[in-house]
Amino acid sequence: MATIKELSIKCGVSVSTVSKALNGYKDIGDETRRNILRIASEIGYFPDSNARALKMKKTYNLGVLFSTMFNHGLRNEYFAHILASFNEYATNRGYDINFIEHNIGNRKMSFLEHCRYRNFDGVCIACADFFDSEVLDVVNSKLPVVVIDHVFHEAISILSDNMDGMRQLTQYIIDQGHSRIAFIHGTNSSVTHNRLVSFYQALKDNNITIPPEYVIEGVYRDAEVAESITQKLLDLPMRPTCIIAPDDYSALGVMNTVRRNGLKIPDDVSIVGFDGISLAQALEPKLTTIRQDTDRIGAEAAKQLINLIENPMATTISNVYLKVQLMRGGSVRNMNPVMGDEESQKD
Amino acid sequence: MATIKELSIKCGVSVSTVSKALNGYKDIGDETRRNILRIASEIGYFPDSNARALKMKKTYNLGVLFSTMFNHGLRNEYFAHILASFNEYATNRGYDINFIEHNIGNRKMSFLEHCRYRNFDGVCIACADFFDSEVLDVVNSKLPVVVIDHVFHEAISILSDNMDGMRQLTQYIIDQGHSRIAFIHGTNSSVTHNRLVSFYQALKDNNITIPPEYVIEGVYRDAEVAESITQKLLDLPMRPTCIIAPDDYSALGVMNTVRRNGLKIPDDVSIVGFDGISLAQALEPKLTTIRQDTDRIGAEAAKQLINLIENPMATTISNVYLKVQLMRGGSVRNMNPVMGDEESQKD
DNA sequence: CTGAAAGCGCTTACAG
DNA sequence: CTGAAAGCGCTTACAG
C-alpha cells in the first residue's frame, strides 16, 4: 500500500500538508486540499492503522471478552447474535473488534495484558466468569468498559429487564391456572438472583406458595443437567404442572425428559424457557418463552462503549435495561375452567 | 503499560539489549538475559503490538471475511461454530482476528483496503459472495488467503467432502426404499454443483430416474423459500416420498409445510437436511442429515492459513476435504417390505 | 498557508 | 557481549 510519503510526492507537497488535509485541518489551501483528497482517493490511500495508532494512542479497535466457559461464546446462539449486532454497530462507528484471550501463542497474558498489548480503545465484556480476578482487573482498569448481563459498579452495564421478564412469564403461567410451578434456575449470578426474586414476588402477589423442592439450581444452557433435574421434579410425590427452564436450550432437555416419562406437553406438564432463540420457534409445540432483544443489546453495548470512549464526560456510568417480550407458544396448558367461547381443554 | 525504554532503565541496560533478550537473540550474556526476562515478567511487560507491527511488518492479526449476506454470518450456527474453532486455533498460534468490513465509520473501504489498513498477515474468507469483485480482489492479492466452502485456484480451500456426503445421504434414502426423491438445492455455487452431481450419480447408480420437477433451486437457510417450494412439491400429481432440504434450517420449513398439509413425518413424507446443526437434534422426529465437522473446518482453515503465512514454501495451495458423517434421525421412513425381525412399518 | 522536525515504541543492522 | 542510531508510517506542535 502506498505510504503518505509516496502520496505526498505525487501531490507535490510535504507529508505534513498531506496529513493535515486528510485529517480535515482548516489551515490548508482549498485548492491544495482538493488536489490531495482527489489523488488520495485515486490511488486508494489509507493511513496505516498501526502507525496511526502508535502516534495517536488510538487504535479504533475494541476488545470483546467472549469466553466459551459455561457453554457461552460463539457456539451459544444468544451470545453470537449479540456479537453480530455489536460488531455491526461498532463497524458503523469506525471500530473493528478483536477477541480478548489469554493464551496467545506461547505467551500467557492476562486479559488486561492482552488489552494493553493490542491497545484497545475500550472493552466489552460479553460473556465471562464475572468473579474471575482477571476479569475484575479489566473492569477496574482505566479502560472504558461495558458489560453485558452483569452489573459492576465501575462499568456501564447492558442487560435485559430480567425482573420484568420473569414477572411477565410467571404471571402468564399463573394466569393459565397453574400453581404448582417449578423453577430450574441458572448458576448464581446477579441475573439469576434477580430472576429468582421476581419469580417469588410474582408468586407472592398471587398468594401462591410452592414447596422448596420446586426450585432447583441448574446450569445455563446445559440440557443434560436440565434433564436430570426434571427427572427429580417428575419423581416428586406431587409433581409440578409447569416447569420453568433456565433458558430455551435447557427447555429442550426438560421436554425430552417429560416425554421419556410418557407424559404429554403441555397436557401433562407445561414448560417454558427464557431467551427466545430460534430453537424456541422450531420446537413442537412452540416454546413459550421470554425473548431478549439481542439486536438491541449488542448495538446498545457498542453505542455506550463508543460514547464512553469518545465523549467520556458526556456519558454516564449506569445500567441500561432493555425491554423483553413474552412469546406465547403452545407449551403452557390453559388449566382454567372453560367459559364463554374459549377453547376447551380436557383433563 | 511500561515501554521497553522504562524496562531497559529498570534493568540497567540499553533498549537494544532488552529487545534482543526478549526476542531470543543468542548474543546476549546469560546473566543479562535472565535478569531482563525476570524483571520483564515481574512488571508484566509486553511489547506494544502496534509499534512492533510497524517495524516488523507483521501484525499477528488475521482478517476474517464473515459477511451476513445470504443468511450467513454470526447469526448462522454453522458459520458461528466454524469461527469459534478458527479463533481457538489461531489464538493458540498467537494470532488475533478481526472481521473484514467495508464501511468502516465514514470511510468506505473495499475489503482489500481494509486488509491493508489493518495490515492483516493473512485472510480467511469464511462466508461471502464469492463472485463479488471485492472478494476476488482479496483472493488475487498477494495476501495469504484461505477460503471455506468454495474453491478458487489461487487460494487454499477448506471444505467438507460434499460429494461423499450427498452420495451417502442419497444412498441411505434409496436403501430405505425410496425412489421418488426430491431435492431442494441451494443457490448455485461450486458446493451446490457438486452436491447436485453427486445426487444424480447416486440415482443413476441405483437405476432410479426422477421427474425434473423434483429438483428445484431454493436458498440456503431460508425457511420461507423452502416452505413455498415444498408446497409445490406436495401439489404435484405424483408427490415425492422424500424431500432433501438444502440445509437443516430449511428442513424445518419443509417439515412445517408438510404438517400444514395434514401429512405425517416420516409416514407420509420423509425429510432430510444437511449440516448437522443442533437444531437437527432438537426436531421431533430427529432430522436425518449429514453432519459437517465445523470444529475441524475452522481449525484446519486456521492451520493452513498460518502455515501459509509462516512457511509459504512448505505449504501447498490445495483443497482440503474433510470427512462428513451421516446422522440417522427418525425423519426417513423405511419403505422396505418387512423381513426377518426388522421393525415393521405399515403403508 | 506550508514544511521541517520530533517523536510514538519498537527492531535490527552495525560499530565497538 | 552491549549500545547508539536509523527507521517503520504516521501526527502535530512549531517556525516561517
Side-chain angles (χ1 to χ4, degrees):
Chain A
M1 180 136 105
T3 68
I4 195 173
K5 189 165 181 191
E6 289 160 30
L7 176 57
S8 76
I9 293 170
K10 273 213 176 61
C11 297
V13 293
S14 75
V15 165
S16 326
T17 303
V18 170
S19 176
K20 278 185 271 193
L22 255 27
N23 289 302
Y25 280 62
K26 292 293 160 210
D27 58 344
I28 297 290
D30 252 20
E31 179 111 10
T32 315
R33 177 205 323 283
R34 270 197 298 272
N35 194 41
I36 292 171
L37 261 35
R38 184 176 53 73
I39 299 184
S41 95
E42 265 175 32
I43 68 173
Y45 171 82
F46 282 96
D48 177 308
S49 65
N50 296 110
R52 199 159 207 258
L54 183 59
K55 186 65 191 171
M56 298 181 69
K57 306 282 170 207
K58 173 138 175 108
T59 55
Y60 286 93
N61 207 184
L62 305 177
V64 177
L65 185 45
F66 215 73
S67 155
T68 55
M69 64 185 347
F70 308 139
N71 307 310
H72 284 180
L74 283 166
R75 294 189 182 85
N76 179 320
E77 179 180 329
Y78 172 70
F79 286 106
H81 281 236
I82 287 176
L83 181 64
S85 52
F86 183 94
N87 183 51
E88 281 155 15
Y89 186 93
T91 297
N92 278 331
R93 293 278 295 264
Y95 290 78
D96 285 311
I97 69 175
N98 265 156
F99 294 111
I100 304 173
E101 308 280 351
H102 49 194
N103 294 319
I104 322 291
N106 309 321
R107 333 188 168 209
K108 311 296 169 204
M109 29 182 133
S110 71
F111 289 141
L112 183 55
E113 282 167 346
H114 191 191
C115 293
R116 294 205 169 128
Y117 165 66
R118 285 283 176 200
N119 281 294
F120 298 135
D121 294 336
V123 168
C124 172
I125 300 179
C127 39
D129 176 355
F130 297 111
F131 302 101
D132 178 352
S133 69
E134 279 201 25
V135 173
L136 294 175
D137 286 347
V138 174
V139 173
N140 293 321
S141 73
K142 293 287 174 204
L143 280 167
V145 171
V146 65
V147 185
I148 290 171
D149 272 357
H150 188 80
V151 174
F152 287 114
H153 287 313
E154 307 82 356
I156 295 177
S157 297
I158 314 292
L159 55 179
S160 288
D161 191 340
N162 283 289
M163 300 202 64
D164 181 54
M166 201 62 207
R167 192 196 55 68
Q168 280 193 54
L169 187 61
T170 312
Q171 189 62 52
Y172 172 77
I173 295 167
I174 294 170
D175 289 346
Q176 298 297 303
H178 294 262
S179 59
R180 281 150 50 194
I181 306 169
F183 182 14
I184 305 174
H185 63 264
T187 315
N188 185 38
S189 72
S190 58
V191 166
T192 306
H193 180 82
N194 286 345
R195 289 186 192 169
L196 270 166
V197 168
S198 212
F199 171 70
Y200 282 118
Q201 187 63 49
L203 294 180
K204 196 176 160 199
D205 290 349
N206 291 273
N207 293 313
I208 292 174
T209 35
I210 54 166
E213 313 89 82
Y214 275 17
V215 178
I216 307 186
E217 175 169 330
V219 175
Y220 285 116
R221 204 179 149 80
D222 189 320
E224 280 186 33
V225 169
E227 288 183 14
S228 72
I229 295 175
T230 302
Q231 190 58 57
K232 277 185 206 154
L233 289 170
L234 297 181
D235 290 342
L236 288 174
M238 178 86 107
R239 68 162 192 253
T241 61
C242 182
I243 299 174
I244 303 176
D247 56 88
D248 294 347
Y249 196 82
S250 297
L252 177 60
V254 177
M255 279 190 167
N256 288 339
T257 308
V258 167
R259 291 202 170 108
R260 208 173 297 130
N261 279 263
L263 300 169
K264 287 216 181 310
I265 303 163
D267 301 34
D268 301 313
V269 180
S270 297
I271 296 167
V272 303
F274 208 101
D275 283 354
I277 63 175
S278 62
L279 179 66
Q281 298 307 303
L283 297 173
E284 189 60 36
K286 277 188 186 166
L287 188 64
T288 293
T289 188
I290 292 290
R291 195 177 102 79
Q292 302 199 60
D293 191 343
T294 52
D295 283 349
R296 279 207 58 207
I297 293 173
E300 190 67 27
K303 179 179 168 188
Q304 294 283 338
L305 180 57
I306 294 172
N307 285 349
L308 186 60
I309 291 167
E310 298 187 346
N311 217 343
M313 288 311 135
T315 310
T316 48
I317 306 286
S318 59
N319 304 332
V320 180
Y321 293 95
L322 298 176
K323 278 212 181 354
V324 296
Q325 192 191 351
L326 175 68
M327 308 283 285
R328 288 183 185 80
S331 64
V332 177
R333 176 179 162 202
N334 186 345
M335 316 262 283
N336 293 315
V338 188
M339 38 188 270
D341 43 14
E342 277 188 28
E343 204 185 338
S344 133
Q345 294 252 11
K346 273 249 292 283
D347 211 344
Chain B
M1 179 136 105
T3 68
I4 195 172
K5 189 164 182 191
E6 289 159 31
L7 177 57
S8 76
I9 293 170
K10 273 212 177 61
C11 298
V13 293
S14 75
V15 165
S16 325
T17 303
V18 171
S19 176
K20 279 185 271 191
L22 257 26
N23 290 303
Y25 280 63
K26 292 293 162 211
D27 58 344
I28 298 288
D30 252 21
E31 179 113 8
T32 316
R33 179 207 321 285
R34 269 198 299 274
N35 194 41
I36 292 172
L37 259 36
R38 183 176 52 74
I39 299 185
S41 95
E42 266 175 34
I43 68 173
Y45 171 81
F46 282 97
D48 178 308
S49 65
N50 297 111
R52 199 159 206 259
L54 182 59
K55 185 65 192 171
M56 298 182 68
K57 305 281 170 212
K58 172 137 175 111
T59 55
Y60 285 93
N61 208 183
L62 305 177
V64 177
L65 185 45
F66 215 73
S67 155
T68 56
M69 66 187 344
F70 307 139
N71 306 309
H72 284 181
L74 283 166
R75 293 189 181 84
N76 179 322
E77 180 180 328
Y78 172 70
F79 287 107
H81 282 235
I82 287 176
L83 180 64
S85 51
F86 183 94
N87 183 51
E88 281 155 17
Y89 185 93
T91 298
N92 279 330
R93 294 278 296 263
Y95 290 78
D96 286 311
I97 69 175
N98 266 153
F99 295 112
I100 304 174
E101 308 280 351
H102 47 195
N103 294 319
I104 323 291
N106 309 321
R107 335 188 166 207
K108 311 296 169 205
M109 25 182 135
S110 72
F111 289 141
L112 184 55
E113 282 167 346
H114 190 191
C115 294
R116 295 205 168 129
Y117 165 66
R118 286 282 176 199
N119 282 293
F120 298 134
D121 294 336
V123 169
C124 173
I125 301 179
C127 39
D129 176 355
F130 297 111
F131 302 101
D132 179 351
S133 69
E134 280 200 25
V135 173
L136 295 176
D137 286 346
V138 174
V139 173
N140 293 322
S141 74
K142 293 286 174 205
L143 279 168
V145 173
V146 65
V147 186
I148 290 172
D149 272 356
H150 188 80
V151 174
F152 286 115
H153 289 311
E154 307 82 357
I156 295 177
S157 297
I158 314 291
L159 55 178
S160 288
D161 190 341
N162 283 289
M163 299 203 62
D164 181 54
M166 202 62 208
R167 192 196 53 70
Q168 280 192 53
L169 188 61
T170 312
Q171 190 62 52
Y172 172 78
I173 296 167
I174 294 171
D175 288 345
Q176 297 298 302
H178 293 263
S179 59
R180 278 149 53 194
I181 307 168
F183 184 13
I184 305 174
H185 63 264
T187 314
N188 185 39
S189 71
S190 58
V191 166
T192 307
H193 180 80
N194 286 345
R195 289 186 191 169
L196 270 166
V197 168
S198 212
F199 171 70
Y200 281 118
Q201 187 63 47
L203 293 181
K204 196 175 161 199
D205 290 348
N206 290 273
N207 293 314
I208 293 174
T209 36
I210 54 166
E213 312 89 83
Y214 276 16
V215 177
I216 307 185
E217 174 169 332
V219 175
Y220 285 115
R221 206 182 146 77
D222 189 320
E224 280 187 33
V225 170
E227 288 183 14
S228 72
I229 294 175
T230 302
Q231 191 58 56
K232 276 186 206 153
L233 288 170
L234 297 180
D235 290 342
L236 288 174
M238 177 87 104
R239 70 162 188 253
T241 61
C242 182
I243 299 175
I244 303 176
D247 56 89
D248 294 347
Y249 196 83
S250 296
L252 178 60
V254 177
M255 280 190 167
N256 288 340
T257 307
V258 167
R259 291 203 170 105
R260 207 173 298 129
N261 280 264
L263 300 168
K264 288 216 181 308
I265 304 163
D267 301 32
D268 300 313
V269 180
S270 297
I271 296 168
V272 303
F274 208 102
D275 283 353
I277 63 176
S278 62
L279 179 68
Q281 298 307 302
L283 296 173
E284 189 60 34
K286 278 188 184 163
L287 188 65
T288 292
T289 188
I290 292 290
R291 194 177 101 78
Q292 303 199 59
D293 191 342
T294 51
D295 284 348
R296 281 206 58 207
I297 294 174
E300 191 66 28
K303 179 180 168 188
Q304 295 283 338
L305 180 57
I306 295 172
N307 285 348
L308 186 60
I309 291 167
E310 298 188 345
N311 216 344
M313 287 310 135
T315 310
T316 48
I317 306 287
S318 58
N319 304 332
V320 179
Y321 292 95
L322 298 175
K323 279 213 178 353
V324 296
Q325 193 190 352
L326 175 67
M327 309 282 286
R328 288 182 185 79
S331 62
V332 178
R333 176 179 162 200
N334 186 345
M335 316 262 285
N336 294 313
V338 188
M339 35 190 272
D341 44 14
E342 277 188 26
E343 204 186 338
S344 131
Q345 293 252 13
K346 274 249 293 276
D347 209 345

